[in-house]
Amino acid sequence: MLGLGSVMGQLEREIGQRYALSGRTSLTVRESVSVEVAPRTAVELVVEWKAVCARGDVRLGTGRQGEDAWVPYRIPVRLTFEAEVRDLPYSDLP
């Protein structure tokens, strides 16, 4: 199929404009993480950001029976994170 790559790109852009985060200029995520730190200890809080994506296939009709194409898409729809607390060596020296 001639031009299938450009058609696939156009489909993904159109789906993205309707459902994705990509068209937004900013995004706010409000969640809380509680960390209890005992005296004379040190910890590190590691936050890993993750984009949650919608995935699927769009049927691209060619107008000819049996020649339709299925075009996969992956669109980011929200942002989340995972937090991990790691113990660190503690020192009295600054």
Side-chain angles (χ1 to χ4, degrees):
M1 288 185 169
L2 186 62
L4 182 58
S6 65
V7 171
M8 290 171 62
Q10 179 65 30
L11 285 173
E12 190 159 316
R13 279 190 299 280
E14 287 181 22
I15 293 169
Q17 287 172 354
R18 184 172 181 122
Y19 298 108
L21 298 175
S22 59
R24 299 179 188 168
T25 56
S26 68
L27 179 67
T28 301
V29 176
R30 291 189 181 149
E31 292 188 40
S32 63
V33 176
S34 297
V35 178
E36 195 169 315
V37 182
R40 302 183 65 78
T41 63
V43 297
E44 174 182 50
L45 176 63
V46 179
V47 176
E48 181 181 349
W49 293 100
K50 297 184 176 207
V52 178
C53 297
R55 297 170 192 255
D57 295 307
V58 174
R59 182 176 171 188
L60 178 61
T62 62
R64 297 182 189 141
Q65 187 174 359
E67 293 186 16
D68 292 350
W70 289 94
V71 180
Y73 68 87
R74 179 179 171 269
I75 304 296
V77 291
R78 77 181 168 97
L79 188 63
T80 188
F81 70 91
E82 288 185 8
E84 177 186 358
V85 178
R86 298 178 185 165
D87 291 327
L88 296 177
Y90 178 80
S91 172
D92 285 331
L93 301 174

